[in-house]
Each structure stands twice: as structure tokens, then as C-alpha cells.
Amino acid sequence: FGKSIFMHKSLFLFATMFFFLNAFGQTTVQRPKLVVGIVVDQMRWDYLYRYYDRYEENGGFKRLLNRGFACENTFIPYAPTVTACGHASIYTGSVPAINGITGNGWWDSQLNKSIYCTQDETVKTIGSDTEQGKMSPRNLLTTTIGDELKLATNFKSKVFGIALKDRGGILPAGHSANAAYWYDNKTGDWISSDYYMSALPKWVKDFNAKKLADFYYNQGWSTLYPISTYVQSTSDIKQYENNTFGTGTHFPYDLKKYISRSYSHISATPFGNSFTIEMAKALLVAEQMGQDSITDLLAISFSSPDYIGHSFGPNSIEAEDGFLRLDKELGSFLDFLDEKVGRNQYLLFFSSDHGAAHVPGFLKENNIPAGNVSTQKIYDDLNASLKEKFGTDNLVVDVSNYQVFINHQLISTLKLDAHQINNSIINSVLKQPGISRAFALAELEKIPLPEPIKTRIINGYYPSRSGDIQLIYLPQWLDNFETGGTTHGLWNAYDAHIPLVWYGWNIKPGKSYREIQMTDIAPTISAMLKIQMPNGNIGKVIEEVIQ
């Protein structure tokens, strides 16, 4: 009898331990098979809803919004709001003040020369004979989500980045990626650099051999639907749109004539998105991503909306048609992921690197204040006035990223007073139309500015890669683009309010209207994957997404 009691107690204890181990512990870390990051270059948040009624029920945008979790109040926490900074910030969880990517390019005061964000003279192009592959992530000073995923799996995870723009593929992929691929607009092919490989894989060569760029050019660009049905149907031909395809051209666009001249025009059409998706599909299959128990990461950036937006502006049929077509492409791509990886087996986030301002000509047409600031005029005027006062040329070396860069080496050599030069610059630029504020960055803490603007300027400042004088424009005043088109880069909502939607693995449908920062994306993914966040991260986990 005593032995029977002992056995019953033992069985009860074993069963209790088994229950608790299964309820509160797991034998393995649960992760999705694949993480897919989708960044649309130049997508304002309101594009999710501006054309919502025209998006397909099973297309990309409605599927993401209705079955995913949308963070409706997501902002970029730094300035300038440009492509390189946006891609770097999303995947590092940091800001230019930490990751060092202060613009698409910058004047480096230590090197005393202008630097492009991903340029690397130590590498060579793989995939063509041009110089367009001399790129790497070496200017990025922090790790990315992909780097941390590699570290967490002892480099067994596969990490790739692809985009028409080199910076859109390289910076998200990170330092330890298997590869990044981008578009050579001189050859019409996808290329890389020997930072990643000594030769293109066979699958990339085979993909290039299809000559899809020629196919898209021969197809031409007509509107997806009858042009009279478009929200922006009154704006097909406007003087304030850039002449990307020739003076006076409009829908339908005949692209065949450009094949023999340049392959760059494909980027300013929706077919650049199609090209990118086809490349992504080929990569996923060839590299067998998401096919085992080790999580992989694919970073995709759609560059074409930025080229279209810069040329024609948000209120154009070209931009509208681009997003209606992207909606269809995204729907097809989600179907592809469901088939190849498995529904709910991949974690996907959808966002943007920045928004865009309305074209000043369009706003003026509708009695809204707007204008253009010429950085070339500022540069010329400043150097002329400084020469008159201080007796030497080239005291200003650059005007970019809404900052003025002074020539510290020359000032030191000539023993000039940098403080006097700064004051002279400030007094001069404040006379320029469209300039709201101008001040020395070294004195930022003393400047009476609303805290959100001040914080964003601080977050964008990296000493050797930033300027000396900060310029703040009036709302809806643009850097350049005097002859037409639009741009981005400011702290304002039209540039800084971006979409963010989560979809797939462990994501429940819902919305949050709490203010969230772009830098919160990386730590949220890190928390979901149970890996360390990138080493420059300042973002916070978006708890609503993972609860």
C-alpha cells in the first residue's frame, strides 16, 4: 500500500513538472522563418488612405492594414529626413548622431572632402564594368538588425538587401550581410561589390540575362485605369512638374527611345518596383530563404516612388498610378511569400524612409504659401560676401543637408576668427527668402526653438559629418527644385510622418495612435526574435505590436 502511494505521488509530481515546463518554458526559441523589411522610398503616411478606396481588396495595402497592426502616428526623430538616414535609422534603431549617416552625402571636416554615404574606393564593382559598384556599408558606424541576427545564430542566418538605389540595399543589410544588390543604370543590370563577393552568383547572372529593363521600356507607361477616374485627373500636364521624359510629354509615355541612351529612366516609372519585386522573388528562391529553422532576413527598398515623387510631386497622376500599381505588386508578393515560406511563417514590416512636400507651384495654385530656396545661390552669395569681408575665397565649402559647412582648415591656416565668420553667414542667410532661422550648431542649446525641432536637429548632428550653421526653412519651402518637382528633408510632418504596419508571424490585427518613432522598429524586431538590439539603438519596443 505504501509503495502504491509513493508511485502515485511520483506520477503526480512528474505530471505537474511536465505541465509547468510546457506552460512556462520552451525547448527552443520561437522565431519566424523569415523577416521581410519593406521600405518605400518617399511614401507619406497619408498615401495609405488617400487612394484607399482605389486599392484592391486583396492587394497589398488593404491586406496589410486590415490583417496587420498599424502604427498610425510614426515619426522620424531627426533631421534631415533623407533616404540614407531613413534606411540606416530603421535598421539600426539609432539616429545620424550615432550611426554617422548624416545625409545621402556630407562634407567630412576630418577628410576635408565631400563623401557619399556608401562610397568605398577600396572595393570594385561586381557585375559590370562601371564605377557604380564601388560601394559598401563601411561609413555606417553601428550594427543593424541583420548584423545582430547573424551574431545571434553564429552567422548561420542569411541576410540580404536589395534596392534600385545602392544606399537602399546596402545600409539596411548591414556589415555582415551575405550580399546587397542594386541597379546599374548604365547597363540595366543588378550589381554588387567585392565587399560581398568575388563574382555574381549564377542566379543573378541568369536574372540579368532576361533583360527585363528592355522589356519594361518596350512596354511603355500608360495609366493602369482610365485616366479620367484618377483622384489627380486634373494634373496630367503642369508647368511645375519636371520634364523627366521630355518637355511637354504626358501619358502614355513612350519609353522605347531611351533604351539606347540610358537605363536610368526605368527608375522613374512603376516598373522599377516591378523589377525590384522580381529580383526579390528570384533571390528568395535561389538562396532558399526561410526554408529551415534558422531565421533569415530580407531588406527590400522600393526606390521608384522617390524618383516619381521628385519629378511629379504627390499631387500627380504619375504618383497615384505608381501607388495603385505598387498595391497590386505587393499583393502578388504577399501571395508569393505565403506560397514559398508559408502563411504566418514570416514577419513583415512595412514603412518608409521619409515623406515629401507638395510641389510649391501646386500649393501656390491653391493659395497656400510655399517657395524654393536655392542652395547654389546661398553658396555663391556667402563666398562672395565673405571674400569681401575677410579677403579670401572658399570660406564656405558646402551648403547641404540644410546646413552651411565652413572651411576650418583654411580658417586655421589664415588665423581667421571662426565666430565672426559664423555671425556673418547667419546675418547673410537670414536675408534669403524662405529662411526662418539660422544659427550656429555649437550654440543650439541657447536657441529658443520648440523642443521637438531642437531634439531632431541634435539627433541629426555628428560632429565631423555635419555643418556649422543650421538653416530652418519656412513650412513648405523646399531645397532647390526651382524649375519643378519636389523634395524632402525637413522636420515637418509632410516629411517626417511615415507609415508603419506589421504583418504575419505573431501579429494580431489592430491599430495604435500613440506617437512612435522610426527608431522603435529595430528594437521591436529584436524583442520578437529574442536577439540583442543593434549596438547604437536608442529606440523602444512597441509593446502593442508584441502583446
Side-chain angles (χ1 to χ4, degrees):
F1 178 77
K3 186 176 181 180
S4 176
I5 292 293
F6 175 78
M7 289 180 65
H8 280 292
K9 287 183 176 179
S10 299
L11 287 170
F12 175 77
L13 180 62
F14 176 78
T16 302
M17 290 175 65
F18 182 81
F19 169 78
F20 278 102
L21 283 171
N22 277 275
F24 300 105
Q26 295 172 334
T27 56
T28 60
V29 174
Q30 299 299 304
R31 292 177 179 144
K33 291 183 177 181
L34 177 68
V35 177
V36 179
I38 295 180
V39 176
V40 178
D41 200 329
Q42 195 184 130
M43 182 173 180
R44 296 161 52 112
W45 165 82
D46 60 323
Y47 288 170
L48 288 175
Y49 300 101
R50 178 180 293 190
Y51 311 123
Y52 184 86
D53 291 342
R54 307 210 63 195
Y55 293 144
E56 296 186 350
E57 289 302 319
N58 203 37
F61 293 126
K62 282 188 176 179
R63 199 183 314 184
L64 292 175
L65 288 170
N66 296 333
R67 303 182 199 174
F69 190 94
C71 300
E72 300 280 20
N73 207 21
T74 304
F75 281 86
I76 300 173
Y78 58 80
T81 47
V82 296
T83 298
C85 303
H87 286 81
S89 180
I90 286 173
Y91 285 89
T92 65
S94 70
V95 290
I98 298 170
N99 63 44
I101 304 299
T102 58
N104 294 331
W106 55 82
W107 181 269
D108 193 303
S109 60
Q110 290 182 341
L111 301 175
N112 203 37
K113 65 177 182 178
S114 183
I115 297 293
Y116 175 66
C117 60
T118 53
Q119 78 175 65
D120 187 345
E121 295 301 320
T122 70
V123 301
K124 64 181 181 180
T125 304
I126 298 297
S128 79
D129 295 327
T130 74
E131 298 288 301
Q132 296 195 22
K134 300 184 75 171
M135 308 286 171
S136 85
R138 288 193 172 109
N139 290 326
L140 179 65
L141 305 179
T142 61
T143 60
T144 64
I145 307 165
D147 290 325
E148 295 299 333
L149 180 60
K150 285 271 195 178
L151 288 164
T153 61
N154 197 24
F155 299 92
K156 295 176 183 176
S157 293
K158 300 168 188 172
V159 175
F160 290 90
I162 60 170
L164 294 182
K165 293 183 182 179
D166 49 67
R167 55 188 182 270
I170 292 170
L171 296 173
H175 300 276
S176 62
N178 295 67
Y181 296 103
W182 55 95
Y183 180 61
D184 189 326
N185 60 25
K186 293 184 179 179
T187 66
D189 291 331
W190 290 85
I191 61 171
S192 189
S193 84
D194 68 355
Y195 176 89
Y196 304 101
M197 64 192 74
S198 58
L200 286 182
K202 183 179 182 301
W203 72 265
V204 180
K205 293 178 181 178
D206 291 344
F207 186 81
N208 284 335
K210 294 180 179 179
K211 295 298 179 186
L212 287 179
D214 288 5
F215 169 76
Y216 295 130
Y217 271 126
N218 283 312
Q219 184 173 308
W221 183 12
S222 300
T223 53
L224 185 62
Y225 304 110
I227 200 165
S228 61
T229 67
Y230 280 62
V231 174
Q232 310 294 159
S233 61
T234 59
S235 62
D236 189 21
I237 307 174
K238 293 289 185 178
Q239 290 184 343
Y240 48 72
E241 294 181 354
N242 269 332
N243 298 319
T244 302
F245 301 110
T247 303
T249 55
H250 55 85
F251 283 112
Y253 290 107
D254 179 8
L255 305 176
K256 292 190 291 293
K257 57 187 177 184
Y258 297 111
I259 294 179
S260 60
R261 302 186 217 169
S262 170
Y263 279 101
S264 63
H265 289 82
I266 198 74
S267 300
T269 75
F271 306 124
N273 297 330
S274 306
F275 206 3
T276 303
I277 280 188
E278 292 305 312
M279 179 66 173
K281 290 178 180 178
L283 187 153
L284 282 162
V285 172
E287 299 293 349
Q288 297 184 314
M289 298 190 76
Q291 299 304 308
D292 56 30
S293 60
I294 300 172
T295 302
D296 300 323
L297 185 148
L298 175 60
I300 307 171
S301 176
F302 292 107
S303 306
S304 285
D306 189 64
Y307 291 104
I308 296 171
H310 277 299
S311 296
F312 302 100
N315 302 90
S316 64
I317 294 179
E318 287 82 358
E320 181 176 352
D321 193 66
F323 278 96
L324 294 180
R325 288 177 178 273
L326 181 58
D327 175 56
K328 292 173 67 72
E329 297 278 13
L330 286 174
S332 171
F333 187 59
L334 293 176
D335 290 341
F336 178 87
L337 290 172
D338 287 347
E339 178 187 348
K340 298 297 182 181
V341 182
R343 183 172 295 185
N344 295 323
Q345 296 299 306
Y346 58 91
L347 169 65
L348 183 146
F349 74 86
F350 176 93
S351 191
S352 175
D353 54 347
H354 56 74
H358 294 291
V359 177
F362 170 82
L363 292 179
K364 291 176 182 178
E365 195 174 68
N366 292 279
N367 300 318
I368 297 175
N372 300 83
V373 175
S374 170
T375 55
Q376 184 63 51
K377 185 177 188 305
I378 291 176
Y379 176 85
D380 293 339
D381 288 353
L382 284 177
N383 272 318
S385 65
L386 291 172
K387 182 179 181 180
E388 185 176 335
K389 291 180 182 179
F390 298 98
T392 187
D393 287 314
N394 304 318
L395 285 173
V396 169
V397 290
D398 194 21
V399 180
S400 64
N401 299 328
Y402 307 92
Q403 295 172 347
V404 179
F405 296 70
I406 64 174
N407 194 331
H408 290 279
Q409 289 190 8
L410 181 60
I411 291 169
S412 177
T413 300
L414 298 177
K415 295 184 169 60
L416 299 175
D417 188 325
H419 183 70
Q420 287 185 4
I421 292 171
N422 282 346
N423 285 339
S424 181
I425 291 171
I426 291 169
N427 291 333
S428 180
V429 296
L430 284 174
K431 297 175 184 176
Q432 298 278 352
I435 303 294
S436 169
R437 304 277 200 286
F439 51 84
L441 279 159
E443 299 177 1
L444 175 59
E445 289 299 335
K446 302 176 185 177
I447 304 300
L449 272 176
E451 186 56 37
I453 302 175
K454 186 176 289 188
T455 297
R456 289 176 184 183
I457 293 171
I458 291 171
N459 285 343
Y461 179 77
Y462 190 88
S464 63
R465 299 179 178 184
S466 293
D468 301 274
I469 306 298
Q470 180 71 47
L471 308 179
I472 296 182
Y473 293 2
L474 291 170
Q476 293 291 350
W477 279 70
L478 310 184
D479 231 4
N480 306 312
F481 286 83
E482 297 97 327
T483 60
T486 192
T487 191
H488 49 83
L490 301 174
W491 64 270
N492 308 72
Y494 48 79
D495 283 348
H497 187 192
I498 57 172
L500 175 58
V501 188
W502 303 81
Y503 179 86
W505 183 82
N506 279 7
I507 299 296
K508 294 181 180 179
K511 291 182 185 295
S512 171
Y513 292 93
R514 177 174 66 87
E515 183 169 325
I516 288 166
Q517 306 297 325
M518 174 190 272
T519 46
D520 297 336
I521 297 172
T524 301
I525 294 173
S526 299
M528 296 181 78
L529 298 184
K530 297 179 175 61
I531 63 175
Q532 184 59 273
M533 60 187 66
N535 61 18
N537 176 79
I538 62 168
K540 298 178 180 179
V541 175
I542 308 170
E543 294 186 19
E544 300 95 314
V545 172
I546 65 175
Q547 286 177 343

